[in-house]
Amino acid sequence: MMLATESVLSVVTGIATECLLQYHDTDAEIAQQALALLQFTAGAGDLTAAFTLALVFEAGFGTQKDPQKAGPLYQRAAYGAKTINLPPGCLILERLQQVLAKRQHVCQVNAMAALARCLLAGNGVAKDPAKAVALLERAAATGSVDAMVRLGWCFADHPDVPTDFARARALFQRAADKGDKEGQFGLACMLRRGRGGPRDRGLALSLFQLASDAGDCVAMLSVSKMLAKDKRDLVRATAWCRRAAAEGCEVIQENAKLVADKLGVSL
């Protein structure tokens, strides 16, 4: 694909995505036109358009949910990297090539993680946990913290993947070292139970608190439970429980009520 064509497709994909985000629930005609543009640019080889369309069909964003369409689009985005050729000696074109290559790389890594999620569940594609793990390993090797965390939970708690707490703990550690709240939460779970290495409830509590400070409502409940169980600080335990109930989804709110009942407080 020529660089000029790649650039035009990239611009059109960006405009179509913005229109879909802005008008998906207010102007059905514009939303459908944006969707048609994304389908056109995806068909012409734009990987970001393919990835965006996969997200749209998986979530039913501005259109009807269709996992059978999402799966192949994730595959195209994950495996469809292209080499961009350009004439030598043009610094502007070389800079544009770098920008497009970086954009394509980010899209591909995100698509790998999304496709792995579909492969683990058999959602829109044939279920294949081994292929999902391989994809997550590739994505994690590029530095994707999302892939590290997903892969960590595969090894820690997925019925179709052989359990390996040591690998799970190492992956959560890598993500936590990058400041990722989900990595901090996963590592805290390993430390609290002594999985994949020594048990350390003090460090687990500290990591749960870091994840809680970053807005992780499940971590908030974990902090509340640990503080209550160890009789360390019932006032803080109650405060974290109430914050989780206030900021969390319905499932979090139900769990927060159970914790509150054990604490003997109201939400």
PDB file of all heavy atoms in Angstrom, residues 186-222:
ATOM      1  N   GLY A 186      -3.685  -7.730  41.103  1.00  0.00           N
ATOM      2  CA  GLY A 186      -3.349  -9.137  40.894  1.00  0.00           C
ATOM      3  C   GLY A 186      -2.193  -9.583  41.768  1.00  0.00           C
ATOM      4  O   GLY A 186      -2.226 -10.668  42.374  1.00  0.00           O
ATOM      5  N   LEU A 187      -1.155  -8.747  41.846  1.00  0.00           N
ATOM      6  CA  LEU A 187      -0.002  -9.079  42.689  1.00  0.00           C
ATOM      7  C   LEU A 187      -0.413  -9.152  44.152  1.00  0.00           C
ATOM      8  O   LEU A 187       0.046 -10.040  44.902  1.00  0.00           O
ATOM      9  CB  LEU A 187       1.102  -8.050  42.482  1.00  0.00           C
ATOM     10  CG  LEU A 187       2.389  -8.256  43.294  1.00  0.00           C
ATOM     11  CD1 LEU A 187       3.007  -9.620  43.012  1.00  0.00           C
ATOM     12  CD2 LEU A 187       3.385  -7.144  42.993  1.00  0.00           C
ATOM     13  N   ALA A 188      -1.270  -8.239  44.583  1.00  0.00           N
ATOM     14  CA  ALA A 188      -1.751  -8.256  45.967  1.00  0.00           C
ATOM     15  C   ALA A 188      -2.478  -9.559  46.279  1.00  0.00           C
ATOM     16  O   ALA A 188      -2.317 -10.129  47.367  1.00  0.00           O
ATOM     17  CB  ALA A 188      -2.672  -7.056  46.214  1.00  0.00           C
ATOM     18  N   CYS A 189      -3.282 -10.035  45.314  1.00  0.00           N
ATOM     19  CA  CYS A 189      -3.992 -11.311  45.514  1.00  0.00           C
ATOM     20  C   CYS A 189      -3.008 -12.456  45.700  1.00  0.00           C
ATOM     21  O   CYS A 189      -3.209 -13.339  46.541  1.00  0.00           O
ATOM     22  CB  CYS A 189      -4.903 -11.591  44.321  1.00  0.00           C
ATOM     23  SG  CYS A 189      -6.341 -10.508  44.202  1.00  0.00           S
ATOM     24  N   MET A 190      -1.926 -12.463  44.898  1.00  0.00           N
ATOM     25  CA  MET A 190      -0.907 -13.502  45.015  1.00  0.00           C
ATOM     26  C   MET A 190      -0.197 -13.421  46.373  1.00  0.00           C
ATOM     27  O   MET A 190       0.036 -14.433  47.035  1.00  0.00           O
ATOM     28  CB  MET A 190       0.130 -13.356  43.896  1.00  0.00           C
ATOM     29  CG  MET A 190      -0.394 -13.493  42.475  1.00  0.00           C
ATOM     30  SD  MET A 190      -0.913 -15.172  42.038  1.00  0.00           S
ATOM     31  CE  MET A 190      -2.700 -14.956  42.093  1.00  0.00           C
ATOM     32  N   LEU A 191       0.151 -12.212  46.785  1.00  0.00           N
ATOM     33  CA  LEU A 191       0.867 -12.017  48.048  1.00  0.00           C
ATOM     34  C   LEU A 191      -0.001 -12.368  49.250  1.00  0.00           C
ATOM     35  O   LEU A 191       0.475 -12.966  50.228  1.00  0.00           O
ATOM     36  CB  LEU A 191       1.329 -10.556  48.161  1.00  0.00           C
ATOM     37  CG  LEU A 191       2.473 -10.141  47.233  1.00  0.00           C
ATOM     38  CD1 LEU A 191       2.545  -8.616  47.134  1.00  0.00           C
ATOM     39  CD2 LEU A 191       3.802 -10.698  47.732  1.00  0.00           C
ATOM     40  N   ARG A 192      -1.264 -12.015  49.193  1.00  0.00           N
ATOM     41  CA  ARG A 192      -2.162 -12.269  50.319  1.00  0.00           C
ATOM     42  C   ARG A 192      -2.304 -13.766  50.592  1.00  0.00           C
ATOM     43  O   ARG A 192      -2.362 -14.210  51.743  1.00  0.00           O
ATOM     44  CB  ARG A 192      -3.539 -11.657  50.045  1.00  0.00           C
ATOM     45  CG  ARG A 192      -4.524 -11.847  51.194  1.00  0.00           C
ATOM     46  CD  ARG A 192      -5.861 -11.198  50.890  1.00  0.00           C
ATOM     47  NE  ARG A 192      -6.483 -11.722  49.700  1.00  0.00           N
ATOM     48  CZ  ARG A 192      -7.656 -11.306  49.226  1.00  0.00           C
ATOM     49  NH1 ARG A 192      -8.303 -10.318  49.835  1.00  0.00           N
ATOM     50  NH2 ARG A 192      -8.166 -11.828  48.137  1.00  0.00           N
ATOM     51  N   ARG A 193      -2.310 -14.555  49.515  1.00  0.00           N
ATOM     52  CA  ARG A 193      -2.513 -15.994  49.666  1.00  0.00           C
ATOM     53  C   ARG A 193      -1.212 -16.804  49.568  1.00  0.00           C
ATOM     54  O   ARG A 193      -1.242 -18.027  49.675  1.00  0.00           O
ATOM     55  CB  ARG A 193      -3.494 -16.485  48.596  1.00  0.00           C
ATOM     56  CG  ARG A 193      -4.856 -15.809  48.700  1.00  0.00           C
ATOM     57  CD  ARG A 193      -5.769 -16.240  47.591  1.00  0.00           C
ATOM     58  NE  ARG A 193      -7.046 -15.554  47.655  1.00  0.00           N
ATOM     59  CZ  ARG A 193      -8.027 -15.696  46.754  1.00  0.00           C
ATOM     60  NH1 ARG A 193      -7.857 -16.513  45.729  1.00  0.00           N
ATOM     61  NH2 ARG A 193      -9.158 -15.033  46.893  1.00  0.00           N
ATOM     62  N   GLY A 194      -0.094 -16.132  49.320  1.00  0.00           N
ATOM     63  CA  GLY A 194       1.168 -16.845  49.203  1.00  0.00           C
ATOM     64  C   GLY A 194       1.247 -17.713  47.967  1.00  0.00           C
ATOM     65  O   GLY A 194       1.854 -18.788  47.984  1.00  0.00           O
ATOM     66  N   ARG A 195       0.678 -17.248  46.877  1.00  0.00           N
ATOM     67  CA  ARG A 195       0.682 -18.021  45.633  1.00  0.00           C
ATOM     68  C   ARG A 195       1.842 -17.579  44.739  1.00  0.00           C
ATOM     69  O   ARG A 195       2.021 -16.394  44.502  1.00  0.00           O
ATOM     70  CB  ARG A 195      -0.641 -17.855  44.887  1.00  0.00           C
ATOM     71  CG  ARG A 195      -1.798 -18.546  45.585  1.00  0.00           C
ATOM     72  CD  ARG A 195      -3.100 -18.376  44.827  1.00  0.00           C
ATOM     73  NE  ARG A 195      -4.144 -19.219  45.382  1.00  0.00           N
ATOM     74  CZ  ARG A 195      -5.405 -19.209  44.978  1.00  0.00           C
ATOM     75  NH1 ARG A 195      -5.783 -18.368  44.019  1.00  0.00           N
ATOM     76  NH2 ARG A 195      -6.286 -20.017  45.518  1.00  0.00           N
ATOM     77  N   GLY A 196       2.610 -18.543  44.271  1.00  0.00           N
ATOM     78  CA  GLY A 196       3.730 -18.244  43.382  1.00  0.00           C
ATOM     79  C   GLY A 196       4.935 -17.667  44.094  1.00  0.00           C
ATOM     80  O   GLY A 196       5.903 -17.259  43.447  1.00  0.00           O
ATOM     81  N   GLY A 197       4.906 -17.636  45.424  1.00  0.00           N
ATOM     82  CA  GLY A 197       6.012 -17.076  46.197  1.00  0.00           C
ATOM     83  C   GLY A 197       5.592 -16.888  47.640  1.00  0.00           C
ATOM     84  O   GLY A 197       4.500 -17.300  48.049  1.00  0.00           O
ATOM     85  N   PRO A 198       6.446 -16.251  48.454  1.00  0.00           N
ATOM     86  CA  PRO A 198       6.146 -16.078  49.881  1.00  0.00           C
ATOM     87  C   PRO A 198       4.881 -15.253  50.112  1.00  0.00           C
ATOM     88  O   PRO A 198       4.550 -14.370  49.335  1.00  0.00           O
ATOM     89  CB  PRO A 198       7.381 -15.339  50.414  1.00  0.00           C
ATOM     90  CG  PRO A 198       8.456 -15.599  49.414  1.00  0.00           C
ATOM     91  CD  PRO A 198       7.764 -15.713  48.090  1.00  0.00           C
ATOM     92  N   ARG A 199       4.220 -15.536  51.207  1.00  0.00           N
ATOM     93  CA  ARG A 199       3.047 -14.769  51.611  1.00  0.00           C
ATOM     94  C   ARG A 199       3.494 -13.482  52.294  1.00  0.00           C
ATOM     95  O   ARG A 199       4.446 -13.485  53.077  1.00  0.00           O
ATOM     96  CB  ARG A 199       2.193 -15.595  52.564  1.00  0.00           C
ATOM     97  CG  ARG A 199       0.856 -14.984  52.924  1.00  0.00           C
ATOM     98  CD  ARG A 199       0.088 -15.919  53.837  1.00  0.00           C
ATOM     99  NE  ARG A 199      -1.251 -15.435  54.108  1.00  0.00           N
ATOM    100  CZ  ARG A 199      -2.098 -16.035  54.944  1.00  0.00           C
ATOM    101  NH1 ARG A 199      -1.730 -17.129  55.576  1.00  0.00           N
ATOM    102  NH2 ARG A 199      -3.316 -15.536  55.137  1.00  0.00           N
ATOM    103  N   ASP A 200       2.817 -12.376  51.988  1.00  0.00           N
ATOM    104  CA  ASP A 200       3.155 -11.095  52.598  1.00  0.00           C
ATOM    105  C   ASP A 200       1.890 -10.245  52.658  1.00  0.00           C
ATOM    106  O   ASP A 200       1.589  -9.468  51.754  1.00  0.00           O
ATOM    107  CB  ASP A 200       4.247 -10.380  51.789  1.00  0.00           C
ATOM    108  CG  ASP A 200       4.814  -9.156  52.506  1.00  0.00           C
ATOM    109  OD1 ASP A 200       4.079  -8.563  53.320  1.00  0.00           O
ATOM    110  OD2 ASP A 200       5.969  -8.793  52.232  1.00  0.00           O
ATOM    111  N   ARG A 201       1.153 -10.378  53.755  1.00  0.00           N
ATOM    112  CA  ARG A 201      -0.128  -9.674  53.878  1.00  0.00           C
ATOM    113  C   ARG A 201       0.065  -8.159  53.995  1.00  0.00           C
ATOM    114  O   ARG A 201      -0.765  -7.389  53.538  1.00  0.00           O
ATOM    115  CB  ARG A 201      -0.906 -10.213  55.080  1.00  0.00           C
ATOM    116  CG  ARG A 201      -1.492 -11.596  54.849  1.00  0.00           C
ATOM    117  CD  ARG A 201      -2.237 -12.105  56.092  1.00  0.00           C
ATOM    118  NE  ARG A 201      -3.327 -11.239  56.474  1.00  0.00           N
ATOM    119  CZ  ARG A 201      -4.552 -11.255  55.939  1.00  0.00           C
ATOM    120  NH1 ARG A 201      -4.817 -12.097  54.966  1.00  0.00           N
ATOM    121  NH2 ARG A 201      -5.490 -10.429  56.366  1.00  0.00           N
ATOM    122  N   GLY A 202       1.179  -7.752  54.590  1.00  0.00           N
ATOM    123  CA  GLY A 202       1.433  -6.315  54.720  1.00  0.00           C
ATOM    124  C   GLY A 202       1.624  -5.659  53.367  1.00  0.00           C
ATOM    125  O   GLY A 202       1.031  -4.605  53.079  1.00  0.00           O
ATOM    126  N   LEU A 203       2.457  -6.270  52.510  1.00  0.00           N
ATOM    127  CA  LEU A 203       2.671  -5.719  51.170  1.00  0.00           C
ATOM    128  C   LEU A 203       1.396  -5.844  50.341  1.00  0.00           C
ATOM    129  O   LEU A 203       1.082  -4.952  49.538  1.00  0.00           O
ATOM    130  CB  LEU A 203       3.825  -6.461  50.479  1.00  0.00           C
ATOM    131  CG  LEU A 203       4.191  -5.975  49.071  1.00  0.00           C
ATOM    132  CD1 LEU A 203       4.482  -4.486  49.056  1.00  0.00           C
ATOM    133  CD2 LEU A 203       5.393  -6.768  48.540  1.00  0.00           C
ATOM    134  N   ALA A 204       0.645  -6.941  50.550  1.00  0.00           N
ATOM    135  CA  ALA A 204      -0.621  -7.112  49.829  1.00  0.00           C
ATOM    136  C   ALA A 204      -1.571  -5.962  50.148  1.00  0.00           C
ATOM    137  O   ALA A 204      -2.190  -5.381  49.254  1.00  0.00           O
ATOM    138  CB  ALA A 204      -1.259  -8.452  50.197  1.00  0.00           C
ATOM    139  N   LEU A 205      -1.665  -5.626  51.434  1.00  0.00           N
ATOM    140  CA  LEU A 205      -2.555  -4.532  51.837  1.00  0.00           C
ATOM    141  C   LEU A 205      -2.103  -3.217  51.205  1.00  0.00           C
ATOM    142  O   LEU A 205      -2.928  -2.428  50.722  1.00  0.00           O
ATOM    143  CB  LEU A 205      -2.588  -4.408  53.356  1.00  0.00           C
ATOM    144  CG  LEU A 205      -3.464  -3.285  53.929  1.00  0.00           C
ATOM    145  CD1 LEU A 205      -4.919  -3.438  53.488  1.00  0.00           C
ATOM    146  CD2 LEU A 205      -3.373  -3.253  55.450  1.00  0.00           C
ATOM    147  N   SER A 206      -0.802  -2.983  51.172  1.00  0.00           N
ATOM    148  CA  SER A 206      -0.275  -1.742  50.576  1.00  0.00           C
ATOM    149  C   SER A 206      -0.625  -1.655  49.094  1.00  0.00           C
ATOM    150  O   SER A 206      -1.011  -0.589  48.590  1.00  0.00           O
ATOM    151  CB  SER A 206       1.244  -1.675  50.757  1.00  0.00           C
ATOM    152  OG  SER A 206       1.587  -1.599  52.137  1.00  0.00           O
ATOM    153  N   LEU A 207      -0.504  -2.783  48.384  1.00  0.00           N
ATOM    154  CA  LEU A 207      -0.816  -2.801  46.950  1.00  0.00           C
ATOM    155  C   LEU A 207      -2.312  -2.643  46.706  1.00  0.00           C
ATOM    156  O   LEU A 207      -2.736  -1.956  45.770  1.00  0.00           O
ATOM    157  CB  LEU A 207      -0.302  -4.089  46.319  1.00  0.00           C
ATOM    158  CG  LEU A 207       1.218  -4.153  46.142  1.00  0.00           C
ATOM    159  CD1 LEU A 207       1.661  -5.583  45.834  1.00  0.00           C
ATOM    160  CD2 LEU A 207       1.658  -3.219  45.023  1.00  0.00           C
ATOM    161  N   PHE A 208      -3.122  -3.290  47.552  1.00  0.00           N
ATOM    162  CA  PHE A 208      -4.569  -3.101  47.439  1.00  0.00           C
ATOM    163  C   PHE A 208      -4.926  -1.626  47.631  1.00  0.00           C
ATOM    164  O   PHE A 208      -5.799  -1.095  46.939  1.00  0.00           O
ATOM    165  CB  PHE A 208      -5.305  -3.944  48.488  1.00  0.00           C
ATOM    166  CG  PHE A 208      -5.517  -5.386  48.095  1.00  0.00           C
ATOM    167  CD1 PHE A 208      -5.306  -6.405  49.014  1.00  0.00           C
ATOM    168  CD2 PHE A 208      -5.944  -5.726  46.816  1.00  0.00           C
ATOM    169  CE1 PHE A 208      -5.514  -7.734  48.667  1.00  0.00           C
ATOM    170  CE2 PHE A 208      -6.162  -7.063  46.460  1.00  0.00           C
ATOM    171  CZ  PHE A 208      -5.935  -8.055  47.389  1.00  0.00           C
ATOM    172  N   GLN A 209      -4.238  -0.965  48.555  1.00  0.00           N
ATOM    173  CA  GLN A 209      -4.522   0.453  48.807  1.00  0.00           C
ATOM    174  C   GLN A 209      -4.106   1.317  47.620  1.00  0.00           C
ATOM    175  O   GLN A 209      -4.794   2.273  47.266  1.00  0.00           O
ATOM    176  CB  GLN A 209      -3.807   0.900  50.087  1.00  0.00           C
ATOM    177  CG  GLN A 209      -4.453   0.339  51.347  1.00  0.00           C
ATOM    178  CD  GLN A 209      -3.714   0.699  52.620  1.00  0.00           C
ATOM    179  OE1 GLN A 209      -2.489   0.729  52.665  1.00  0.00           O
ATOM    180  NE2 GLN A 209      -4.462   0.963  53.672  1.00  0.00           N
ATOM    181  N   LEU A 210      -2.968   0.978  46.982  1.00  0.00           N
ATOM    182  CA  LEU A 210      -2.547   1.712  45.787  1.00  0.00           C
ATOM    183  C   LEU A 210      -3.592   1.577  44.683  1.00  0.00           C
ATOM    184  O   LEU A 210      -3.957   2.556  44.022  1.00  0.00           O
ATOM    185  CB  LEU A 210      -1.197   1.189  45.289  1.00  0.00           C
ATOM    186  CG  LEU A 210       0.050   1.664  46.020  1.00  0.00           C
ATOM    187  CD1 LEU A 210       1.275   0.961  45.470  1.00  0.00           C
ATOM    188  CD2 LEU A 210       0.206   3.173  45.887  1.00  0.00           C
ATOM    189  N   ALA A 211      -4.065   0.340  44.461  1.00  0.00           N
ATOM    190  CA  ALA A 211      -5.083   0.107  43.436  1.00  0.00           C
ATOM    191  C   ALA A 211      -6.384   0.821  43.795  1.00  0.00           C
ATOM    192  O   ALA A 211      -7.083   1.359  42.921  1.00  0.00           O
ATOM    193  CB  ALA A 211      -5.325  -1.396  43.259  1.00  0.00           C
ATOM    194  N   SER A 212      -6.697   0.846  45.095  1.00  0.00           N
ATOM    195  CA  SER A 212      -7.911   1.538  45.550  1.00  0.00           C
ATOM    196  C   SER A 212      -7.814   3.037  45.308  1.00  0.00           C
ATOM    197  O   SER A 212      -8.772   3.675  44.853  1.00  0.00           O
ATOM    198  CB  SER A 212      -8.135   1.274  47.041  1.00  0.00           C
ATOM    199  OG  SER A 212      -8.335  -0.101  47.290  1.00  0.00           O
ATOM    200  N   ASP A 213      -6.654   3.598  45.594  1.00  0.00           N
ATOM    201  CA  ASP A 213      -6.440   5.029  45.362  1.00  0.00           C
ATOM    202  C   ASP A 213      -6.600   5.383  43.889  1.00  0.00           C
ATOM    203  O   ASP A 213      -6.982   6.513  43.542  1.00  0.00           O
ATOM    204  CB  ASP A 213      -5.046   5.441  45.831  1.00  0.00           C
ATOM    205  CG  ASP A 213      -4.914   5.426  47.356  1.00  0.00           C
ATOM    206  OD1 ASP A 213      -5.954   5.534  48.039  1.00  0.00           O
ATOM    207  OD2 ASP A 213      -3.781   5.285  47.848  1.00  0.00           O
ATOM    208  N   ALA A 214      -6.301   4.393  43.012  1.00  0.00           N
ATOM    209  CA  ALA A 214      -6.422   4.611  41.566  1.00  0.00           C
ATOM    210  C   ALA A 214      -7.841   4.349  41.068  1.00  0.00           C
ATOM    211  O   ALA A 214      -8.106   4.465  39.870  1.00  0.00           O
ATOM    212  CB  ALA A 214      -5.435   3.718  40.812  1.00  0.00           C
ATOM    213  N   GLY A 215      -8.763   3.986  41.985  1.00  0.00           N
ATOM    214  CA  GLY A 215     -10.166   3.839  41.604  1.00  0.00           C
ATOM    215  C   GLY A 215     -10.656   2.424  41.405  1.00  0.00           C
ATOM    216  O   GLY A 215     -11.762   2.220  40.902  1.00  0.00           O
ATOM    217  N   ASP A 216      -9.874   1.410  41.797  1.00  0.00           N
ATOM    218  CA  ASP A 216     -10.288   0.013  41.628  1.00  0.00           C
ATOM    219  C   ASP A 216     -11.224  -0.367  42.775  1.00  0.00           C
ATOM    220  O   ASP A 216     -10.804  -0.519  43.922  1.00  0.00           O
ATOM    221  CB  ASP A 216      -9.056  -0.896  41.622  1.00  0.00           C
ATOM    222  CG  ASP A 216      -9.393  -2.334  41.223  1.00  0.00           C
ATOM    223  OD1 ASP A 216     -10.397  -2.868  41.731  1.00  0.00           O
ATOM    224  OD2 ASP A 216      -8.642  -2.918  40.418  1.00  0.00           O
ATOM    225  N   CYS A 217     -12.511  -0.534  42.458  1.00  0.00           N
ATOM    226  CA  CYS A 217     -13.514  -0.777  43.497  1.00  0.00           C
ATOM    227  C   CYS A 217     -13.384  -2.159  44.133  1.00  0.00           C
ATOM    228  O   CYS A 217     -13.697  -2.336  45.314  1.00  0.00           O
ATOM    229  CB  CYS A 217     -14.920  -0.604  42.918  1.00  0.00           C
ATOM    230  SG  CYS A 217     -15.300   1.098  42.473  1.00  0.00           S
ATOM    231  N   VAL A 218     -12.930  -3.156  43.356  1.00  0.00           N
ATOM    232  CA  VAL A 218     -12.722  -4.488  43.931  1.00  0.00           C
ATOM    233  C   VAL A 218     -11.599  -4.424  44.963  1.00  0.00           C
ATOM    234  O   VAL A 218     -11.671  -5.044  46.030  1.00  0.00           O
ATOM    235  CB  VAL A 218     -12.393  -5.517  42.834  1.00  0.00           C
ATOM    236  CG1 VAL A 218     -12.168  -6.893  43.437  1.00  0.00           C
ATOM    237  CG2 VAL A 218     -13.525  -5.592  41.815  1.00  0.00           C
ATOM    238  N   ALA A 219     -10.552  -3.662  44.643  1.00  0.00           N
ATOM    239  CA  ALA A 219      -9.449  -3.482  45.587  1.00  0.00           C
ATOM    240  C   ALA A 219      -9.933  -2.781  46.854  1.00  0.00           C
ATOM    241  O   ALA A 219      -9.489  -3.095  47.966  1.00  0.00           O
ATOM    242  CB  ALA A 219      -8.325  -2.694  44.937  1.00  0.00           C
ATOM    243  N   MET A 220     -10.852  -1.826  46.708  1.00  0.00           N
ATOM    244  CA  MET A 220     -11.396  -1.134  47.881  1.00  0.00           C
ATOM    245  C   MET A 220     -12.038  -2.124  48.845  1.00  0.00           C
ATOM    246  O   MET A 220     -11.837  -2.055  50.061  1.00  0.00           O
ATOM    247  CB  MET A 220     -12.432  -0.099  47.449  1.00  0.00           C
ATOM    248  CG  MET A 220     -11.879   1.065  46.656  1.00  0.00           C
ATOM    249  SD  MET A 220     -13.215   2.175  46.111  1.00  0.00           S
ATOM    250  CE  MET A 220     -12.383   3.118  44.824  1.00  0.00           C
ATOM    251  N   LEU A 221     -12.798  -3.068  48.297  1.00  0.00           N
ATOM    252  CA  LEU A 221     -13.438  -4.069  49.156  1.00  0.00           C
ATOM    253  C   LEU A 221     -12.400  -4.985  49.788  1.00  0.00           C
ATOM    254  O   LEU A 221     -12.558  -5.418  50.935  1.00  0.00           O
ATOM    255  CB  LEU A 221     -14.442  -4.888  48.339  1.00  0.00           C
ATOM    256  CG  LEU A 221     -15.723  -4.164  47.933  1.00  0.00           C
ATOM    257  CD1 LEU A 221     -16.641  -5.104  47.162  1.00  0.00           C
ATOM    258  CD2 LEU A 221     -16.448  -3.616  49.155  1.00  0.00           C
ATOM    259  N   SER A 222     -11.328  -5.284  49.039  1.00  0.00           N
ATOM    260  CA  SER A 222     -10.264  -6.132  49.592  1.00  0.00           C
ATOM    261  C   SER A 222      -9.584  -5.436  50.769  1.00  0.00           C
ATOM    262  O   SER A 222      -9.284  -6.068  51.791  1.00  0.00           O
ATOM    263  CB  SER A 222      -9.240  -6.461  48.503  1.00  0.00           C
ATOM    264  OG  SER A 222      -9.826  -7.222  47.466  1.00  0.00           O
TER     265      SER A 222
END
